[in-house]
Amino acid sequence: MSLETLVQDPSIPAESTSGASAPYDFADFDTSVMTTYGRFPIALERGEGCRVWDTEGREYLDFVAGIATCTLGHAHPALVETVTQQIKKLHHVSNLYYIPEQGKLAKWIIDHSCAERVFFCNSGAEANEGAIKLARKYAHKVLEIDYPVIVTAKASFHGRTLATITATGQPKYQKDFNPLMPGFHYVPYNDLRAVENAIADLDEGNQRVAAIMLEALQGEGGVRPGELEYFQQLRKICDDNNILLILDEVQVGMGRTGKYWGYENLGIEPDIFTSAKGLAGGIPIGAMMCKKFCDVFQAGDHASTFGGNPFACAAALTVGETLERENILQNVQERGEQLRASLSAIASKYPQIISEVRGWGLINGMELKSDIELTSADIVKAVMAKGLLLVPAGPKVLRFVPPLIVSAQEVDQATQAVESAIAELTS
Ligand SMILES: *Cc1c(COP(=O)(O)O)cnc(C)c1O
């Protein structure tokens, strides 16, 4: 059955039709917007909490959350209030002037992490670009390396700009965009020996490894958590060899793992880390954090027109304060455990289909067996017809990244939809 027939099946009840506008003309969209996405044939127009509604009034339980972005779900009263007040007051001014909201947000991040300095931008890729530039300048000015190399992991994801697709250790994102950026080298994730070998092999003439950039948990690459032992050893290796440890926390930062930052799950502190997706709950923002010692940027070295404007910073500050006030990290831990327990129960019922359930807090993956035809996209389509939005993390991994305010009942509803979809697809 095609996705079109699945989502248009009249036997699927449209639970709420209030506020629904006319059916959306997908062809109209496709003739004017670049084809950079494979899109599902639904158009979302309204949301509340963990639920969204399409233009035909059909309700979906949203376990995608804009891909790990809508931290507080949709239309959260605190976020609505903040952005409404802020846009009336002042929404954008240049970084040529002091922006109090930016200062407050930086302070909040510093108070809730190992960071000592913050730079604001607008997206994950841009935050990682900032980290790459900072590491290179640090290498030139402090480490006196003429040709600094940044080591990244295979199956990683760091963004879509030229430097960040180069940092991304997946050829599918790099194909057709040559020449790529020089100065990157890839190693397998969670493999200490490979990093040690790379550091030794790349130490040649005026070339040296200046930084290692990794995700604390690989999101896009299949929801693969970093291993404690690996990261602790890696921290030591970086210290012993004057190498900066950069963590890309764009997907896992800001509470997603049940702790504010992904590295807290690994018992280490990075020298530089980045955040974006969930930081302002869906208002575009990016941030690059570092320790004082590696902040070598001077006025004019790096900039962003929109970065750190009052609107985005006020939103992010509200997300942070709401996480604290409503004790949401505890919900992330409890709902995460509930979700993994339910998915594991499904996995033990279908051992011929599912190979593993893994994750931290509310970023979880369910991996399908590699020797079967069924893909994560097949299940995503099947659950969508049951009113659940999920997103793959590669061809064999289903990713579960609901808003952090998700309820126990909503987790149950989601796992029941997954189980019934798998039952149907395998019958
Ligand atoms: C999404 C993501 C990025 C890219 O973020 P954009 O805001 O799309 O540029 C970078 N790194 C990781 C780990 C991500 O998940």
Side-chain angles (χ1 to χ4, degrees), residues 190-193 195-196 199 212 214 227-241 243 245 266-269:
N190 281 335
D191 181 343
L192 202 65
R193 180 67 61 81
V195 175
E196 288 171 332
I199 292 168
I212 298 172
L214 298 169
E227 286 168 13
L228 197 76
E229 178 69 15
Y230 170 75
F231 273 89
Q232 298 197 339
Q233 292 296 324
L234 193 68
R235 180 66 271 182
K236 247 190 233 130
I237 290 172
C238 287
D239 291 340
D240 293 347
N241 294 279
I243 293 170
L245 181 57
L266 298 168
I268 54 147
E269 288 184 359

Side-chain angles (χ1 to χ4, degrees), residues 330-339 362 406-408 411:
Q330 192 183 338
N331 188 58
V332 176
Q333 291 161 16
E334 290 172 3
R335 299 290 74 76
E337 274 170 32
Q338 179 195 349
L339 179 62
L362 284 173
V406 71
S407 69
V411 169

Side-chain angles (χ1 to χ4, degrees), residues 86-379:
Q86 193 61 49
I87 200 134
K88 286 185 191 166
K89 194 174 154 202
L90 185 69
H91 70 289
H92 178 83
V93 287
S94 170
N95 281 296
L96 290 169
Y97 315 105
Y98 285 88
I99 299 172
E101 292 79 8
Q102 185 181 139
K104 266 193 220 160
L105 176 59
K107 195 101 185 41
W108 187 90
I109 293 172
I110 288 167
D111 287 346
H112 293 82
S113 74
C114 65
E116 293 170 335
R117 293 283 186 271
V118 187
F119 170 84
F120 291 105
C121 52
N122 313 286
S123 69
E126 205 187 343
N128 290 335
E129 286 272 348
I132 292 164
K133 280 180 70 176
L134 186 67
R136 283 189 173 184
K137 183 165 184 193
Y138 181 80
H140 291 305
K141 294 289 169 192
V142 180
L143 303 175
E144 298 181 335
I145 305 173
D146 292 332
Y147 193 96
V149 177
I150 298 178
V151 169
T152 66
K154 292 180 179 167
S156 60
F157 185 81
H158 298 295
R160 301 295 200 135
T161 62
L162 270 171
T164 57
I165 57 166
T166 308
T168 293
Q170 299 194 58
K172 72 172 177 184
Y173 293 113
Q174 301 168 339
K175 190 171 66 72
D176 298 332
F177 298 116
N178 282 326
L180 296 175
M181 206 65 69
F184 288 90
H185 180 87
Y186 314 101
V187 294
Y189 191 60
N190 281 335
D191 181 343
L192 202 65
R193 180 67 61 81
V195 175
E196 288 171 332
N197 289 343
I199 292 168
D201 293 348
L202 292 163
D203 189 352
E204 198 183 299
N206 54 6
Q207 168 185 283
R208 207 147 57 78
V209 173
I212 298 172
M213 177 158 118
L214 298 169
E215 291 156 271
L217 169 156
Q218 288 190 327
E220 219 66 33
V223 191
R224 243 165 261 287
E227 286 168 13
L228 197 76
E229 178 69 15
Y230 170 75
F231 273 89
Q232 298 197 339
Q233 292 296 324
L234 193 68
R235 180 66 271 182
K236 247 190 233 130
I237 290 172
C238 287
D239 291 340
D240 293 347
N241 294 279
N242 275 328
I243 293 170
L244 293 172
L245 181 57
I246 305 172
L247 291 188
D248 175 347
E249 297 240 358
V250 168
Q251 191 155 165
V252 299
M254 205 56 176
R256 172 72 38 200
T257 69
K259 307 197 187 280
Y260 282 112
W261 309 103
Y263 65 76
E264 294 173 59
N265 297 281
L266 298 168
I268 54 147
E269 288 184 359
D271 303 309
I272 301 173
F273 66 105
T274 55
S275 174
K277 287 191 166 82
L279 184 56
I283 305 301
I285 193 168
M288 189 252 298
M289 279 63 70
C290 73
K291 298 282 183 114
K292 250 182 246 170
F293 81 89
C294 53
D295 183 12
V296 289
F297 277 169
Q298 289 164 350
D301 276 347
H302 196 49
S304 165
T305 297
F306 289 125
N309 81 17
F311 187 76
C313 289
L317 193 60
T318 290
V319 171
E321 288 173 351
T322 306
L323 289 181
E324 283 185 284
R325 192 180 56 246
E326 298 183 4
N327 200 15
I328 291 175
L329 295 191
Q330 192 183 338
N331 188 58
V332 176
Q333 291 161 16
E334 290 172 3
R335 299 290 74 76
E337 274 170 32
Q338 179 195 349
L339 179 62
R340 281 187 299 282
S342 298
L343 293 178
S344 298
I346 299 173
S348 43
K349 225 163 157 181
Y350 294 94
Q352 75 283 19
I353 303 290
I354 299 158
S355 60
E356 196 183 19
V357 171
R358 57 178 178 250
W360 291 338
L362 284 173
I363 177 159
N364 293 287
M366 187 162 102
E367 182 156 20
L368 306 176
K369 290 262 180 183
S370 56
D371 58 355
I372 57 168
E373 248 175 61
L374 197 68
T375 64
S376 47
D378 295 332
I379 298 181

